[in-house]
Amino acid sequence: MGNRNGTHVLTERDVEILIKTSGKSEREIRQWYDEFHQDTNHTDRMDKRQFQVFYSKLRKKSNLQQITDHIFRAFDADQSGTIDFSEFLFAYIATSEGTKQQKFEYAFEVYDINDDQVVEKKEAKKILNLICRIIGLPEEDAKTYTNTLMLTFDTNQDKVLSKTEFINGCLHDITLARFANPFEI
Ligand SMILES: [Ca+2]
Ligand SMILES: [Ca+2]
């Protein structure tokens, strides 16, 4: 997601993903980002307390404290105590409601980092590393899951996962599918 020279900009792709995951219009999403920008005093970095206030405005969740802890543990690797807008988006998407099919579609968007409509092994590894960190599993597990995912889901054996392969794979493998939405385990 958009991060140029360390300063977050809301890219067209961020907006597209957000339209799909939030059901909001582009105008609302741009307002939403403006608000994030304002709420963080133009730093675009949010601490735990600000995160909870902002998140609650968008979605009511009873396990907000748990979500907050997960998110900060996963993203705040430099222990700065803050996360940026793209990290916030990940939290929002990961905890989004909707049908299984929709969630797997969102998950595909997240996995497909370079937006070329296929998931490569290195993309899967990056996201699975992140998810394992969120749910507190060792990096070794992320490696295993990446290999299993790339082998199991790739039905035409071209070494990459199409959207259809990814979604069908998730629908048929509960263990791997839980990575599509780690907050509802
Ligand atoms: Ca890709
Ligand atoms: Ca394939």
Side-chain angles (χ1 to χ4, degrees):
M1 288 181 222
N3 198 313
R4 285 178 202 147
N5 305 323
T7 310
H8 186 84
V9 284
L10 191 65
T11 64
E12 291 307 315
R13 181 153 188 267
D14 290 343
V15 173
E16 255 172 57
I17 292 177
L18 278 171
I19 290 171
K20 285 187 211 161
T21 53
S22 66
K24 291 175 193 294
S25 69
E26 180 168 350
R27 193 177 55 84
E28 286 172 309
I29 287 160
R30 294 201 181 276
Q31 280 173 353
W32 184 13
Y33 174 67
D34 287 345
E35 207 175 319
F36 183 94
H37 191 66
Q38 294 293 330
D39 282 7
T40 59
N41 296 320
H42 304 217
T43 63
D44 281 354
R45 307 238 17 133
M46 197 164 250
D47 65 22
K48 277 191 179 184
R49 192 188 52 79
Q50 290 170 315
F51 171 85
Q52 291 182 344
V53 172
F54 194 73
Y55 188 98
S56 312
K57 281 196 267 187
L58 303 162
R59 175 175 292 148
K60 300 286 170 232
K61 278 269 186 187
S62 51
N63 57 340
L64 183 59
Q65 185 62 50
Q66 202 189 345
I67 291 170
T68 309
D69 289 343
H70 281 337
I71 289 302
F72 278 77
R73 191 169 59 226
F75 289 112
D76 186 23
D78 62 353
Q79 311 258 309
S80 65
T82 57
I83 56 166
D84 68 19
F85 193 64
S86 61
E87 292 160 352
F88 178 83
L89 291 189
F90 189 92
Y92 188 82
I93 292 165
T95 58
S96 64
E97 279 143 33
T99 64
K100 273 197 167 71
Q101 173 92 23
Q102 280 172 325
K103 280 178 189 161
F104 299 147
E105 282 179 25
Y106 309 155
F108 181 83
E109 303 286 345
V110 174
Y111 275 84
D112 180 19
I113 297 165
N114 66 355
D115 200 18
D116 66 351
Q117 305 306 312
V118 292
V119 172
E120 289 162 68
K121 190 171 183 177
K122 63 176 184 215
E123 290 174 322
K125 187 156 188 281
K126 205 166 178 175
I127 300 299
L128 284 166
N129 263 334
L130 194 59
I131 290 172
C132 281
R133 253 155 65 197
I134 293 178
I135 57 181
L137 293 174
E139 203 172 318
E140 203 49 44
D141 285 19
K143 217 172 175 177
T144 310
Y145 281 122
T146 305
N147 290 334
T148 312
L149 186 106
M150 294 309 294
L151 272 176
T152 315
F153 287 10
D154 184 18
T155 43
N156 71 349
Q157 300 184 335
D158 65 350
K159 310 269 188 228
V160 294
L161 306 180
S162 67
K163 192 168 185 171
T164 311
E165 286 175 332
F166 184 87
I167 291 170
N168 283 341
C170 284
L171 288 170
H172 291 106
D173 190 320
I174 299 162
T175 312
L176 290 171
R178 71 183 193 142
F179 287 106
N181 195 18
F183 295 98
E184 291 195 3
I185 297 166

